[in-house]
Amino acid sequence: MAEVLTSFEDATALAQATPPSTPWAHIRAMRDKLDVSLQTIADGHQNSPIALDDIRAASSLLQRLCLLETDAMLSVPLRLTGGRYGVRHSLATAIVLEFMLTRMGTSPSERRTAINAALTMNLGMHELQEQLYGQAGALSPEQRASVLDHPNVSVALLRGAGLEDRMWLALVTQHHEHLDGTGYPRKLSGDQLWPAAQALMLADRWCAMITERGYRPGAPPDQALQLIVGRASGVANASIGKALSDVLGPYPPGTPVRLVNGEVGMVCRRTYDPSAPVVRVMHPTYGPNGPDGVNRLCIESKLRIETCIPAAELGFPIDNEHLWPATGPL
């Protein structure tokens, strides 16, 4: 117990001593702080109520970042590395969910509660999620039972930390339920489901599909979106699938692509046309940050995007801070 407390205090002191200055600095600091907070709650530590407050603070900051640094935040699901997979996944899902619920007209306070739920939805399989990240084989009966029950366990841990927020607990409970009653753990359906829970479920799926695992690469963002929206019938309301599609488009920021002229680069900004974003084209000598790096507006026929590619095919490292610098103070 004392060991968790020490790491929690160290993370807080570090964050206070070195305040982040760019969107990606904020994101990494949030990832590291969430790692400590989620572990504290998952362990049933006496400081769990404090960790809940840290979750709430992270949700408020995430909302501000999504408002001011839209393209940087939308790049997180594809670009965030380091730390635990489960923490990265929850953070990425929370970001996509915030944009979806904004599109759906949800109030800021309810969106903040939904972000809280996204960040804590997998507490009930906190350690198992890391095991499954690199596991290529089928789940054992015990693992499958734990996966099916993890929403209930997550709720129990949150209640044990003193949480009484009805919406927060409901969204954690329902984040794997389907509109037609085929989901889990309670097989709820129709009007029993919160719309925000359906949005959380779709955001969760997309973020899981595009992320590489120890045994497979991540799916290209456009293919993942097409599969999820195409299979959303019976799983979620059609308007919620449309919200996911409207927010992400086929090529969200952070997507490595090849243009029809043969150039390769990274989507860095969205435009009014989801199929024609701004792409930072790479020079084979200097990379994206060198003197020959240039932005391409992919509207002209010769500059259209031909396909998504694996990040390894770019041939050089990507500097997130350079592609998505701060646009203003928080």
Side-chain angles (χ1 to χ4, degrees):
M1 292 296 186
E3 190 172 333
V4 174
L5 178 59
T6 299
S7 59
F8 180 85
E9 291 176 339
D10 287 347
T12 302
L14 180 62
Q16 293 173 344
T18 56
S21 58
T22 67
W24 269 95
H26 279 289
I27 291 163
R28 288 193 301 272
M30 192 183 303
R31 176 202 62 198
D32 295 343
K33 188 69 176 290
L34 283 171
D35 194 353
V36 176
S37 299
L38 292 174
Q39 187 70 61
T40 299
I41 301 172
D43 289 344
H45 191 270
Q46 63 181 1
N47 274 351
S48 290
I50 299 174
L52 276 182
D53 287 339
D54 286 333
I55 298 292
R56 295 184 181 98
S59 296
S60 295
L61 175 58
L62 186 148
Q63 276 193 310
R64 295 199 299 275
L65 285 167
C66 286
L67 179 64
L68 294 174
E69 308 287 358
T70 300
D71 292 311
M73 295 302 281
L74 282 172
S75 74
V76 169
L78 287 154
R79 297 294 307 153
L80 183 59
T81 59
R84 297 173 65 102
Y85 162 71
V87 175
R88 298 197 309 272
H89 175 73
S90 295
L91 182 53
T93 301
I95 290 168
V96 174
L97 179 64
E98 164 67 5
F99 285 111
M100 289 178 68
L101 294 181
T102 300
R103 177 77 60 153
M104 292 163 58
T106 307
S107 70
S109 61
E110 288 195 350
R111 297 201 314 268
R112 198 153 49 247
T113 299
I115 294 170
N116 292 335
L119 294 176
T120 56
M121 62 184 174
N122 292 325
L123 281 169
M125 52 182 287
H126 191 63
E127 298 301 332
L128 178 60
Q129 194 171 24
E130 300 308 307
Q131 298 173 23
L132 297 180
Y133 175 68
Q135 179 175 314
L139 274 63
S140 70
E142 293 79 11
Q143 288 175 327
R144 183 169 298 279
S146 294
V147 168
L148 293 176
D149 195 42
H150 85 267
N152 291 328
V153 178
S154 297
V155 167
L157 287 166
L158 289 168
R159 288 189 186 278
L163 183 67
E164 298 179 354
D165 188 307
R166 175 173 170 265
M167 180 180 178
W168 184 340
L169 294 170
L171 298 190
V172 171
T173 300
Q174 297 180 11
H175 76 277
H176 285 295
E177 301 285 2
H178 295 171
L179 199 62
D180 60 7
T182 60
Y184 66 88
R186 303 183 184 181
K187 298 192 179 300
L188 303 176
S189 64
D191 291 341
Q192 294 177 295
L193 302 180
W194 290 64
Q198 298 177 57
L200 174 54
M201 180 262 297
L202 292 186
D204 182 19
R205 288 188 174 188
W206 183 82
C207 289
M209 286 187 69
I210 64 163
T211 304
E212 86 293 340
R213 301 295 178 92
Y215 55 90
R216 65 152 174 84
D222 56 341
Q223 293 181 24
L225 181 64
Q226 185 177 20
L227 282 171
I228 290 172
V229 173
R231 296 174 181 175
S233 178
V235 173
N237 187 288
S239 64
I240 297 175
K242 185 177 186 304
L244 179 70
S245 183
D246 288 347
V247 162
L248 296 172
Y251 313 114
T255 303
V257 295
R258 177 182 294 109
L259 309 186
V260 295
N261 66 359
E263 294 178 328
V264 296
M266 178 77 69
V267 175
C268 58
R269 294 206 307 273
R270 299 173 305 159
T271 68
Y272 70 91
D273 182 351
S275 66
V278 176
V279 173
R280 177 66 61 86
V281 166
M282 316 302 184
H283 186 282
T285 301
Y286 299 110
N289 311 319
D292 289 350
V294 62
N295 288 342
R296 299 291 197 201
L297 180 57
C298 301
I299 292 177
E300 297 180 44
S301 58
K302 65 181 180 180
L303 295 177
R304 300 293 289 187
I305 293 176
E306 180 179 68
T307 187
C308 298
I309 62 174
E313 289 190 18
L314 294 176
F316 16 73
I318 305 298
D319 184 340
N320 293 327
E321 269 85 1
H322 188 87
L323 284 186
W324 296 283
T327 58
L330 287 180

